[in-house]
Amino acid sequence: MNTTPLPLSNVTMMSVTSNESITYERPFSEDGIILSSVFIFTFLVLGVCGNTLTIAVIGYYKELNENVFMRFILSLCVSDLISALISWLFLYRRTWGFDEWAPLPDFLCKFYWAADIMTSYVTALHVLSFAILRFVSIQFPFMYNRIKLFHGNVWMAAIWIVCFCSGFIPCMFIFGSRTRDAAYRTQGSGLPDARWPSCTALVERLHSYVLYQKVGYSIFLYGPMVGVVVMCIATIIMVAMRTRKRATSKKLEKLQRKERQSTIQLVLIIISFLLGYVPFTAYEFWSVQNYPQTQLFFRIDYWFGMIEYIFLRCSECLNPLFYNLGSSKVRGYTKKFLKEKLCHSCFAIIPRPKPKERPRSTGSDAISTIANGFI
């Protein structure tokens, strides 16, 4: 079966390097589908439950909801929740919809990529903002006290608007679905995207996507990565220098303990962030490079993309856990919320046994009871 190559313009840098024809074979087996499904669906459930619980706890308790740090964590949880809810689309495009996106509509393909890139930008900028706020709160406490909840809300709204305009809207035009059957993927077709899933960057916009990667990822991903590492190192150094000084009062000792806990929480969040987004950006750049179109590179590309996404899902599932591990206040309110809401609801659902009815007393029993009362 032969196919006519699509007319390509300005994609010579992406073309394949060999003219030998190959026999197409999917780079994954049924066992691979099962294994991938177990990981992604597990992280989907954990991500939805963990982030929903954290959002509910912060939103329910006034002490947490009126704290600027907690508001940033809440907004970050919303981003991670969206990522978790669309993760099944990634599994579909990498397994059952690898060659043919149908029966799902093309809009879902575009929406997946647009939402995924947007939430990646939102997460990166939130983590950077969180690191800056921690640094300012420790180094410049008087300046931090001037930051009100209104300022934090405006800051977070600006992040979402900028990421929507810079991530969601462009990706709706760059990505799309296209059938990539055996004939499409063979060497004879000469198409540069032959090893990609059916839902991916449109071949006629590859150069636009490469340019978008260089500009967008540098601003919204790599820049924040460098920034959070610098802020984290600076915060650790400041806290370490203050801890060396012996506390002269219980108030100062409590402040030092609070600063150490805040730093631990920051470090955990940054480790989780780097765990997910370093492999993600590495694969995005790898996938648009020029490689021999052989079965070996086909499999490497496939499993590199699958593994980096599993790391990303794992990272976003760890965030709610790290929020609780790094903050005794969040941990305490989470326990309280589970005890008050979840446990109370469970006990309310469980039917209670009806109390046994006492046998009705007869007239003679009543007379004997009265008589005994006089005795």
Side-chain angles (χ1 to χ4, degrees):
M1 181 178 179
N2 297 321
T3 59
T4 303
L6 295 176
L8 303 178
S9 59
N10 300 325
V11 294
T12 54
M13 61 173 286
M14 311 291 294
S15 59
V16 296
T17 59
S18 173
N19 292 324
E20 298 178 1
S21 60
I22 60 173
T23 302
Y24 171 64
E25 179 183 350
R26 291 201 308 177
F28 55 90
S29 62
E30 292 299 324
D31 292 337
I33 293 177
I34 295 173
L35 183 63
S36 303
S37 301
V38 168
F39 275 107
I40 292 179
F41 276 117
T42 300
F43 288 137
L44 188 156
V45 173
L46 293 177
V48 170
C49 294
N51 286 291
T52 302
L53 175 61
T54 306
I55 292 171
V57 171
I58 296 176
Y60 185 77
Y61 293 105
K62 186 176 180 180
E63 184 178 356
L64 297 179
N65 193 29
E66 294 184 351
N67 183 282
V68 177
F69 282 117
M70 294 297 107
R71 280 293 180 93
F72 271 94
I73 289 180
L74 187 149
S75 183
L76 183 57
C77 284
V78 173
S79 176
D80 290 343
L81 179 60
I82 295 173
S83 297
L85 290 173
I86 63 174
S87 60
W88 68 272
L89 287 171
F90 175 88
L91 178 64
Y92 179 81
R93 68 181 284 269
R94 279 282 174 174
T95 52
W96 305 286
F98 188 76
D99 297 324
E100 179 72 34
W101 181 253
L104 296 184
D106 181 64
F107 171 78
L108 280 181
C109 171
K110 294 178 177 291
F111 178 81
Y112 162 75
W113 277 104
D116 187 63
I117 297 298
M118 180 191 72
T119 53
S120 297
Y121 291 172
V122 169
T123 298
L125 292 181
H126 272 71
V127 173
L128 176 61
S129 302
F130 193 82
I132 293 173
L133 282 175
R134 282 298 184 203
F135 177 82
V136 172
S137 67
I138 295 174
Q139 182 66 15
F140 308 104
F142 294 103
M143 182 185 297
Y144 171 74
N145 290 332
R146 296 173 61 184
I147 301 176
K148 305 301 180 183
L149 194 59
F150 172 78
H151 302 140
N153 291 335
V154 172
W155 191 343
M156 287 180 285
I159 290 176
W160 280 96
I161 292 172
V162 169
C163 293
F164 179 82
C165 296
S166 303
F168 190 92
I169 294 177
C171 290
M172 288 293 289
F173 296 96
I174 292 175
F175 295 91
S177 61
R178 173 175 292 162
T179 300
R180 289 174 172 82
D181 53 14
Y184 191 98
R185 297 184 185 278
T186 55
Q187 183 70 20
S189 65
L191 296 173
D193 61 337
R195 67 179 184 270
W196 295 349
S198 59
C199 172
T200 188
L202 297 172
V203 67
E204 59 270 19
R205 294 196 174 99
L206 287 180
H207 272 270
S208 299
Y209 179 52
V210 172
L211 178 61
Y212 179 79
Q213 276 188 336
K214 293 178 180 179
V215 177
Y217 285 15
S218 298
I219 295 174
F220 294 103
L221 291 178
Y222 283 119
M225 283 182 189
V226 174
V228 297
V229 171
V230 172
M231 289 290 100
C232 183
I233 294 174
T235 303
I236 292 173
I237 292 174
M238 285 191 304
V239 172
M241 292 176 63
R242 293 189 181 190
T243 306
R244 289 179 181 178
K245 299 179 181 179
R246 182 176 297 178
T248 55
S249 64
K250 291 184 177 180
K251 184 177 180 181
L252 183 58
E253 182 181 356
K254 183 179 179 180
L255 177 62
Q256 290 180 350
R257 183 169 62 253
K258 185 177 179 180
E259 288 179 349
R260 288 195 298 269
Q261 290 177 347
S262 300
T263 305
I264 292 173
Q265 185 186 52
L266 175 63
V267 171
L268 290 175
I269 292 174
I270 290 175
I271 290 174
S272 174
F273 171 68
L274 296 177
L275 175 68
Y277 284 94
V278 169
F280 168 76
T281 52
Y283 173 74
E284 289 299 309
F285 280 104
W286 151 277
S287 63
V288 297
Q289 302 306 314
N290 185 19
Y291 299 106
Q293 191 165 323
T294 61
Q295 193 65 30
L296 174 62
F297 277 92
F298 201 13
R299 291 183 181 275
I300 291 175
D301 182 88
Y302 176 85
W303 286 108
F304 190 180
M306 180 63 76
I307 292 172
E308 62 85 10
Y309 191 78
I310 291 174
F311 270 91
L312 184 63
R313 296 264 49 82
C314 177
S315 165
E316 293 175 349
C317 288
L318 287 174
N319 284 337
L321 177 63
F322 288 162
Y323 301 150
N324 284 272
L325 290 177
S327 172
S328 58
K329 183 181 293 186
V330 176
R331 189 165 59 250
Y333 276 112
T334 300
K335 292 178 181 178
K336 183 179 179 181
F337 183 86
L338 291 174
K339 184 178 180 180
E340 290 180 352
K341 301 300 178 181
L342 188 61
C343 295
H344 179 74
S345 300
C346 291
F347 284 120
I349 295 174
I350 299 174
R352 296 181 180 180
K354 295 182 179 180
K356 295 182 179 180
E357 295 183 358
R358 294 181 178 179
R360 294 182 179 179
S361 59
T362 62
S364 59
D365 293 335
I367 293 173
S368 61
T369 303
I370 294 173
N372 291 332
F374 285 105
I375 295 174

